[in-house]
Amino acid sequence: MKSFPIVILGGGVVAGYAAKEFVAQSGKKGGLAIITAENALPYERPPLSKGFLAGKEGAGDIQISDAAFYRQHGITVFRNLPVGKVDFRRCRLQSTSGKVIGFDQLLIATGSTVRRLEVPGASGSEVFYLRQLKDSQAIREQIKRGRRAVVIGAGFIGMEVASVLASHGVRTTMVFPDDRVWKRLFTPPVSTFFERQFAGQGITFMKSDKVVVLTHKNHECQVVLASGNQVLTDFVVAGIGVTPSMELFHRTPLDTDAGIKVNKFLETSVPGVWAAGDIANYPDQIFHRRMRVEHWDNAVEQGRVAMRNMMGKLQPFIHVPYFFSDAFDLSYEFWGDATGYDQVVYRGNLYEKQFSVWWLKNQTLCAALIMNRSEEERSVAPRWILRHSRLDPQALQNTRNLKSLDTTFGREE
Ligand SMILES: Cc1cc2nc3c(=O)[nH]c(=O)nc-3n(C[C@H](O)[C@H](O)[C@H](O)COP(=O)(O)OP(=O)(O)OC[C@H]3O[C@@H](n4cnc5c(N)ncnc54)[C@H](O)[C@@H]3O)c2cc1C
C-alpha cells in the first residue's frame, strides 16, 4: 500500500491550486498525492463553458500546472482512479478498482455533480450535461454537427453555453422555469438587460416552462414542455444546477449538512481531514453564517488556505465570495452575498453595457455586480463588503468619486 503525508481526494480546481501552494510552502518531494476520477491533470473548469467550448483553447491551455510541474516537485497524480470508499479510522482510501492509498492528512475536494433531468427520454444520446472536460469536448463536437439546440436552465452555465452556441450559428432556444433569466441572482432590470442582449443574438426564450418529455428519432429530439409547446432540436444541453459530491461520505463520522461541515480553518469534524471548494460548508467570517460556494475563486482560495493549514500555518478562511461570468462580449463580476438585501442602487447605464448594481442591507453593502466600470468600483466593492461599510444610497448612486464615500481608506487591511 502506498501512503502519503497529504492526499487530496479529487483532482479539480482545489487540487490544482492546493498543489501550487504545497510547492510555494516548500513541501517535500513525495509529500503529496492527488487522486482523481478524471483522465486529466487538474484543470480550470470555467473555460469549459467559454473559450474551450468555443474552440479557442485546447486541453493543454487550461491545465492549472503541466505534467513537468508535478514531476519536478515529486507530486503523484493518480488519474482515472475513482475512490469508492474512505476509511477515516485507518486513514485509507480505496478505489473502485481495489487500489488502497494511505494518508496522514486528507483534503476532500470532490466538488459537485450535475443535476440530471428526471423526465422520460432524458438518457437519450442527444442530451448533454457540462461538468468535465469530456462533456465540453462532446458538446464542442455536437456544435459542428447540430444546427439547433435547446438549453435548459438560465443560470450562468445555461447562459454561457447558449451564448457560445449562438455565436457558432446554432439556433438556440432557452427553456427555464422562472419568468426571467437567472432570477436567483439578477435584479429584474439586470435580467431584462441580458434577455435583450441574448434576443439580439438570435436566442429564443421559453420562460416559466418545464420539460416533461424528450422523444428521440433519427438523431433529432422533440422537447415537450409542460405548457404543451414543443421544440424540435438536434441536441439539448441541461444546465440545471449541481449538488455537492457527497456519496462517499454518507455513513462516515464526518459532520455533514448540504456539504461537508468544516470549521473556520477548513478542518472537518475528523481531525487531520480537511475540505475545500464546492463541497465545503464553512462558517463565513464576514456574513457570520454557514455558506457553501460553488465558484472558481472560492475553490482557489480555500485550496490555498487548506493546504497552508495542513502544513501547519493555521489561518482562518476570510474571503469575500466572488465570481465572474462571460456571455457574448459581456463580462461581469459579482462579489458578496445579496441574501436579505433591502435596497438596490444602480450606477452607469444598462443600455451601454456598462453598469454596476449595489445591494444594501440596512444601508450596509452586502453584494455588488460590476460590468465594464472603473477600476475604482472594482476595488471598493470587495473592500466595502469585507468592512461592512455603511453607505448613503443616494450618494452611492450619484457620486463620481467613490473613494470620497469611503471612510475606511488608508486603514490597515
Ligand atoms: C462549465 C463550468 C463553468 C464554470 N464557470 C465558472 C465561472 O465562470 N466562474 C466561476 O466563479 N465559477 C465557475 N465554475 C465553477 C467552478 O469551476 C467550480 O466552483 C470549481 O471547479 C470547484 O472546484 P472543486 O475543486 O471544488 O471541484 P471540481 O473542480 O469539480 O473538482 C472535483 C474533482 O473531484 C473528482 N472526484 C469527485 N469524486 C471523486 C471520487 N470519488 N474519486 C476521485 N475523484 C473524484 C472529480 O472528478 C473532479 O475532478 C464553472 C463550473 C463549470 C462546470
Side-chain angles (χ1 to χ4, degrees):
M1 180 188 84
K2 279 199 173 151
S3 198
F4 298 85
I6 297 179
V7 169
I8 305 176
L9 168 50
V13 173
V14 165
Y17 284 91
K20 274 176 173 286
E21 191 61 34
F22 177 81
V23 171
Q25 297 294 328
S26 311
K28 291 204 184 79
K29 285 187 177 178
L32 174 64
I34 297 170
I35 307 180
T36 177
E38 290 186 71
N39 181 26
L41 292 172
Y43 58 88
E44 303 286 12
R45 231 161 267 277
L48 299 186
S49 52
K50 306 177 186 67
F52 183 84
L53 184 64
K56 294 179 192 155
E57 292 168 305
D61 301 324
I62 65 171
Q63 280 179 344
I64 296 170
S65 302
D66 61 13
F69 167 87
Y70 297 100
R71 228 182 5 254
Q72 194 184 335
H73 298 290
I75 298 169
T76 307
V77 184
F78 295 97
R79 292 192 250 176
N80 285 318
L81 200 69
V83 168
K85 223 159 106 185
V86 188
D87 183 340
F88 289 107
R89 201 176 47 81
R90 293 199 292 171
C91 295
R92 287 176 181 185
L93 305 174
Q94 188 178 332
S95 75
T96 51
S97 58
K99 191 177 175 74
V100 176
I101 293 164
F103 58 82
D104 297 339
Q105 292 192 85
L106 178 68
L107 174 55
I108 300 173
T110 47
S112 296
T113 308
V114 287
R115 281 213 179 88
R116 301 206 158 239
L117 290 167
E118 289 179 6
V119 297
S123 57
S125 58
E126 288 88 17
V127 181
F128 295 84
Y129 298 90
L130 181 50
R131 183 72 202 175
Q132 303 188 1
L133 189 63
K134 60 179 193 245
D135 303 328
S136 186
Q137 278 160 338
I139 300 171
R140 209 158 112 164
E141 283 307 305
Q142 197 62 32
I143 293 175
K144 294 181 194 155
R145 289 195 292 271
R147 301 320 305 155
R148 299 160 299 175
V150 170
V151 173
I152 304 171
F156 76 94
I157 296 283
M159 291 177 69
E160 290 186 357
V161 170
S163 80
V164 172
L165 298 181
S167 301
H168 282 76
V170 178
R171 202 151 18 99
T172 304
T173 305
M174 293 182 75
V175 176
F176 47 92
D178 290 325
D179 57 353
R180 57 186 179 86
V181 295
W182 211 356
K183 190 170 185 175
R184 200 161 54 85
L185 184 89
F186 292 159
T187 60
V190 175
S191 292
T192 304
F193 164 81
F194 278 101
E195 288 174 15
R196 227 180 15 242
Q197 299 295 327
F198 275 46
Q201 301 282 348
I203 293 175
T204 310
F205 296 109
M206 296 185 116
K207 303 177 184 178
S208 309
D209 217 339
K210 270 188 178 164
V211 176
V212 287
V213 182
L214 298 163
T215 56
H216 306 268
K217 202 172 165 192
N218 299 332
H219 302 294
E220 282 188 326
C221 176
Q222 183 79 266
V223 182
V224 182
L225 305 179
S227 61
N229 286 328
Q230 304 198 358
V231 192
L232 190 62
T233 186
D234 298 311
F235 64 104
V236 172
V237 183
I240 53 174
V242 292
T243 51
S245 302
M246 294 288 294
E247 315 76 67
L248 286 177
F249 312 110
H250 288 314
R251 276 169 294 279
T252 69
L254 281 185
D255 200 358
T256 62
D257 176 17
I260 295 174
K261 280 177 108 173
V262 292
N263 62 18
K264 66 179 175 184
F265 303 108
L266 306 179
E267 191 168 22
T268 71
S269 55
V270 175
V273 177
W274 310 70
D278 282 16
I279 193 89
N281 170 334
Y282 69 96
D284 188 272
Q285 303 298 295
I286 301 167
F287 292 99
H288 304 293
R289 60 184 189 79
R290 283 205 161 261
M291 284 195 186
R292 202 174 54 74
V293 176
E294 292 162 353
H295 291 305
W296 175 86
D297 170 73
N298 178 68
V300 171
E301 292 306 323
Q302 288 196 342
R304 287 182 178 142
V305 169
M307 181 54 71
R308 281 202 286 276
N309 289 349
M310 293 173 96
M311 295 174 81
K313 285 263 171 0
L314 220 60
Q315 68 177 86
F317 177 72
I318 304 173
H319 189 68
V320 176
Y322 165 84
F323 101 98
F324 59 92
S325 180
D326 304 327
F328 298 111
D329 61 339
L330 312 165
S331 293
Y332 61 93
E333 297 171 287
F334 180 92
W335 288 266
D337 177 9
T339 308
Y341 74 94
D342 50 31
Q343 200 165 7
V344 185
V345 171
Y346 295 88
R347 290 170 60 87
N349 187 337
L350 273 92
Y351 289 88
E352 288 176 9
K353 302 183 189 176
Q354 53 98 359
F355 60 87
S356 53
V357 187
W358 306 75
W359 284 263
L360 304 168
K361 187 176 176 184
N362 302 327
Q363 297 207 355
T364 301
L365 186 68
C366 57
L369 181 153
I370 298 185
M371 178 186 288
N372 291 333
R373 296 288 290 168
S374 67
E375 198 46 40
E376 185 189 40
E377 289 199 9
R378 291 189 70 253
S379 75
V380 297
R383 184 186 174 93
W384 284 351
I385 293 167
L386 178 70
R387 303 229 164 155
H388 304 286
S389 294
R390 278 180 73 81
L391 297 165
D392 172 0
Q394 202 90 48
L396 177 60
Q397 187 171 348
N398 299 321
T399 308
R400 265 175 180 268
N401 175 9
L402 277 184
K403 282 187 182 156
S404 68
L405 300 181
D406 189 344
T407 52
T408 63
F409 272 99
R411 284 201 220 146
E412 289 282 298
E413 279 294 328

